[in-house]
Amino acid sequence: MTVNQIAVFLENKKGRLSEMTKVLGDAGIDLVALTIADTNEFGIVRFVTKDNEKVLRVLKDNGYTATKTELLGVEVSDVPGGLHEVLKVLGENDVEIEYLYSFARTHLQKAVILFKVNDTNKALIVLKENGINLISAI
Amino acid sequence: MKYYNKKIECMDRKSLKELQSRRLVNLVEFVYKNMPAYKAKMDAVGLLPSHIKGIDDISKLPFMTKQDLRDNYPFGLFASKKRDIIRVHASSGTTGKLTVVGYTKRDIDDWAECCARSLVMAGMSGDSVVHVAYGYGLFTGGLGMHYGAEKLGAMTVPASGGNTARQILLLKDFGADSLCCTPSYALYIADEMEKMGVKKEELNLKAGLFGAEPWSDNMRIEIENRLGIKAYDIYGLSEISGPGVAMDCCMQNGKHVFEDLFFPEIIDKETLEPKGYGEEGELVFTTLNKQGMPLIRYRTRDICTLTDAPCACGRTLVRMTRVFGRTDDMLIIRGVNVFPSQIESVLMNSDESIAPHYFITVDRVNMQDTIEIKVEVNEKIFSDEVKELENLKKKLEHDLFTMIGINATVKLVSPNTLPRSEGKARRVEDLRTL
């Protein structure tokens, strides 16, 4: 019950991100959600799409270093405190969060949160126990 | 005091040649008897000690290289009994193996004399205060200059490297009139003095003996202006003894080689044939008087020229120019000898067992050597987490420091961005202009 994410290494230099988005756009890939973690020297672009296998292939063919990572995906009501509900459960159960990002599904009044945690199996169990809605596809 | 050993330093060339001849004949006999590795080299070309009758026969003798030191690690080239060896020094080798040098009591005395002669050439005497900021330890710089300064009877300050603020305090309070360190460290001291608000007039410094790394005339002028001293170039290498193989005199127009102890030759770097004075080639030394680990026709890999033109300082010893370059790929970074293969082995030996494409860039920023190693991020080392990549960078930097002793900056770069070539990959770029 996890969501696949693609992470790509990019140097923190002018034009690098747009070069990559051009490659993805030309291949007809629709980005569902995207986030960038950056340092002075490099960035890690992380995103999810509907066809991660194809994305991985396209990126490698174009000389990028990319990798697939399993994330936890949860869907919460798009209301105040929605994210906190989930974080509280993870925190109380000593699950550490490496990073997260989210996007809203406005038409459904829902928000999707994607997590990278230190212990995915444990997180899955405690989230299920607390009735939080896990998703595997977006 | 103009000369430490006038008899030798100003000896007429004919008498010097006789001394060199006598010493070479004795040396070859001694080495043949006591160093099996060199005996084997002589045997291989059918050469006997009796074939060497004087210094003109030196070109008959086989060469030695750093590889001989590696092959005979640690003590295989020692020609004296271990109980007669009173000291060892060592420098890092290309494969992680150290190259080791052993000294007898007489070797240490000879070496100390060379450093004492060098100090006198820089205007020092028994009344001087000599501040030694070369590293003390396996590196020859610190202890070499230390013994020379003591032999001269100077007050010796064994400051060693590091803690620059304290060095400046010592220079000021102890009134040192000479400073021994690498030229880049001398400039670093000048920078720090500026930051601390210490003016050059507050110091008593008159001269600096700078070596262990290549430097330019521009750098000399900068050091002289900023520290208000005369900056002298001192040359040496641990295999031959250490600092004090050759030294600038007051004319600062080439370094006099202490030829009574170290016989210099220039050879063609391709054919290995001897070349004459004034011709550029690889510098080769024979240690005429050493017992612990004598070397015969040791190839330094340094490229320079020699001249026997008379020098206004009165010394008759031949002079060598600045080292123009190397015949191997060794880099000298802030006085530390580094081979690209050492850097490669650190990259390959990291826990991730990466086999990355890398590229080394050496530069000089604000007169300090810098080294940056770009590493392409491949799938084996890539992570979706920033902290993992930063840890990898830190680990590589740490390993490079602990294994080779260099402060390198590791930069992670995109795949397929570093130069590649069909044959031997060009992996080093040296942007320093000397």
Side-chain angles (χ1 to χ4, degrees):
Chain A
M1 201 67 168
T2 52
V3 177
N4 277 326
Q5 166 196 262
I6 304 295
V8 187
F9 178 87
L10 287 185
E11 277 178 67
N12 198 348
K13 278 190 186 163
K14 197 175 142 190
R16 290 297 158 91
L17 183 60
S18 84
E19 281 168 20
M20 187 197 75
T21 50
K22 180 171 191 313
V23 166
L24 296 178
D26 289 350
I29 286 156
D30 185 21
L31 296 166
V32 179
L34 178 145
T35 181
I36 299 175
D38 65 311
T39 70
N40 264 338
E41 291 182 359
F42 63 85
I44 300 171
V45 184
R46 308 168 182 136
F47 54 84
V48 284
T49 70
K50 301 249 185 247
D51 189 351
N52 284 334
E53 290 306 324
K54 180 180 169 191
V55 174
L56 212 51
R57 203 171 57 240
V58 168
L59 287 172
K60 284 183 185 174
D61 288 348
N62 283 277
Y64 288 93
T65 294
T67 180
K68 208 161 72 173
T69 318
E70 292 193 348
L71 300 184
L72 286 176
V74 303
E75 192 177 58
V76 296
S77 295
D78 192 4
V79 294
L83 172 61
H84 179 68
E85 278 304 303
V86 183
L87 295 183
K88 196 171 138 230
V89 170
L90 294 174
E92 280 168 355
N93 289 282
D94 291 327
V95 175
E96 287 174 33
I97 295 161
E98 306 291 352
Y99 58 80
L100 69 81
Y101 52 110
S102 63
F103 60 99
R105 287 175 161 165
T106 319
H107 59 291
L108 298 172
Q109 303 279 300
K110 297 279 185 191
V112 173
I113 309 158
L114 302 169
F115 291 91
K116 171 80 181 277
V117 295
N118 68 333
D119 187 343
T120 307
N121 288 334
K122 188 176 173 189
L124 281 170
I125 293 165
V126 299
L127 290 173
K128 261 185 212 158
E129 280 172 4
N130 285 273
I132 288 165
N133 189 20
L134 289 152
I135 57 168
S136 60
I138 47 179
Chain B
M1 197 175 190
K2 205 172 167 198
Y3 311 103
Y4 181 79
N5 187 339
K6 189 176 181 193
K7 193 181 148 217
I8 292 286
E9 293 174 61
C10 302
M11 187 179 265
D12 67 274
R13 298 291 307 168
K14 188 167 164 281
S15 306
L16 181 64
K17 195 173 171 183
E18 281 164 19
L19 174 68
Q20 290 169 333
S21 290
R22 256 191 334 269
R23 286 188 164 169
L24 182 68
V25 170
N26 291 339
L27 175 80
V28 172
E29 250 171 59
F30 177 74
V31 166
Y32 192 80
K33 206 187 311 176
N34 296 298
M35 194 192 287
Y38 197 77
K39 180 182 183 290
K41 279 178 189 272
M42 285 176 65
D43 289 344
V45 293
L47 199 64
L48 289 168
S50 58
H51 294 145
I52 305 301
K53 295 187 170 60
I55 201 73
D56 290 337
D57 292 328
I58 197 163
S59 55
K60 294 178 184 164
L61 289 158
F63 292 105
M64 297 181 82
T65 65
K66 211 181 191 84
Q67 190 61 42
D68 292 306
L69 273 71
R70 281 184 220 128
D71 292 346
N72 292 283
Y73 175 87
F75 303 145
L77 294 184
F78 285 13
S80 292
K81 293 197 173 64
K82 222 164 124 191
R83 66 160 183 268
D84 295 322
I85 300 288
I86 63 163
R87 192 180 319 153
V88 289
H89 280 286
S91 63
S92 57
T94 44
T95 51
K97 243 186 201 181
L98 298 165
T99 50
V100 184
V101 184
Y103 305 77
T104 64
K105 177 84 176 54
R106 191 178 83 188
D107 294 339
I108 293 288
D109 282 347
D110 280 349
W111 179 22
E113 164 149 356
C114 290
C115 292
R117 288 181 197 173
S118 301
L119 284 161
V120 171
M121 286 167 98
M124 297 299 113
S125 71
D127 296 330
S128 302
V129 179
V130 178
H131 183 103
V132 183
Y134 283 116
Y136 279 62
L138 288 174
F139 173 55
T140 52
L143 284 165
M145 291 314 297
H146 181 101
Y147 273 63
E150 284 192 352
K151 192 171 185 86
L152 181 60
M155 186 196 288
T156 311
V157 185
S160 194
N163 199 343
T164 309
R166 193 184 61 185
Q167 305 255 10
I168 293 166
L169 183 80
L170 294 178
L171 285 167
K172 206 168 111 185
D173 293 351
F174 293 0
D177 36 21
S178 59
L179 167 66
C180 307
C181 62
T182 59
S184 52
Y185 192 60
L187 281 171
Y188 188 71
I189 288 176
D191 285 344
E192 290 300 297
M193 278 170 55
E194 224 160 74
K195 280 186 207 156
M196 290 165 64
V198 176
K199 295 197 168 58
K200 62 185 177 188
E201 290 77 18
E202 294 176 59
L203 305 186
N204 189 41
L205 276 183
K206 310 248 178 334
L209 290 86
F210 305 125
E213 67 185 14
W215 50 309
S216 59
D217 280 326
N218 285 340
M219 206 162 160
R220 184 204 291 267
I221 291 163
E222 168 137 10
I223 294 173
E224 293 191 335
N225 289 339
R226 293 186 62 190
L227 289 177
I229 60 173
K230 270 190 100 169
Y232 296 90
D233 191 5
I234 184 166
Y235 175 86
L237 58 166
S238 63
E239 298 94 312
I240 299 306
S241 69
V245 171
M247 171 72 190
D248 266 342
C249 65
C250 57
M251 307 310 293
Q252 292 175 302
N253 187 25
K255 296 177 282 288
H256 289 282
V257 178
F258 297 128
E259 284 179 278
D260 55 320
L261 299 168
F262 315 115
F263 187 79
E265 293 174 87
I266 294 289
I267 59 165
D268 185 290
K269 59 188 182 192
E270 307 293 333
T271 65
L272 309 185
E273 288 302 315
K275 297 182 90 169
Y277 290 128
E279 290 184 292
E280 186 179 310
E282 184 179 336
L283 182 61
V284 170
F285 278 111
T286 298
T287 62
L288 292 174
N289 206 42
K290 268 181 98 177
Q291 300 171 313
M293 198 181 93
L295 296 179
I296 293 174
R297 304 194 85 202
Y298 181 75
R299 294 179 55 189
T300 64
R301 306 286 177 180
D302 283 335
I303 296 167
C304 68
T305 67
L306 294 174
T307 174
D308 64 344
C311 182
C313 78
R315 287 177 185 81
T316 51
L317 305 169
V318 300
R319 284 171 289 153
M320 61 181 272
T321 57
R322 277 188 193 288
V323 172
F324 305 129
R326 302 265 312 165
T327 62
D328 60 10
D329 57 357
M330 189 178 88
L331 299 162
I332 303 178
I333 295 158
R334 297 191 204 174
V336 180
N337 297 350
V338 181
F339 288 92
S341 57
Q342 285 176 290
I343 291 171
E344 182 169 309
S345 72
V346 169
L347 297 179
M348 303 301 170
N349 286 337
S350 68
D351 292 343
E352 290 76 14
S353 68
I354 48 179
H357 278 281
Y358 64 91
F359 194 81
I360 301 164
T361 307
V362 182
D363 204 350
R364 191 161 275 176
V365 180
N366 298 326
M367 298 287 171
Q368 285 280 311
D369 292 338
T370 60
I371 177 163
E372 180 185 75
I373 300 159
K374 293 192 184 80
V375 177
E376 283 188 5
V377 174
N378 59 27
E379 274 154 45
K380 278 187 215 150
I381 60 175
F382 181 52
S383 162
D384 60 312
E385 291 178 31
V386 170
K387 73 175 177 204
E388 296 288 328
L389 288 180
E390 295 203 317
N391 285 343
L392 169 73
K393 173 183 149 81
K394 278 187 210 139
K395 185 185 176 303
L396 292 174
E397 286 173 352
H398 172 83
D399 289 353
L400 287 162
F401 182 74
T402 52
M403 309 287 284
I404 319 176
I406 51 169
N407 279 304
T409 306
V410 170
K411 188 170 183 190
L412 302 176
V413 301
S414 296
N416 307 306
T417 52
L418 299 178
R420 283 159 170 73
S421 58
E422 294 284 310
K424 194 177 183 232
R426 194 176 152 268
R427 295 186 184 282
V428 184
E429 183 179 38
D430 195 339
L431 301 172
R432 294 175 293 188
T433 46
L434 294 172

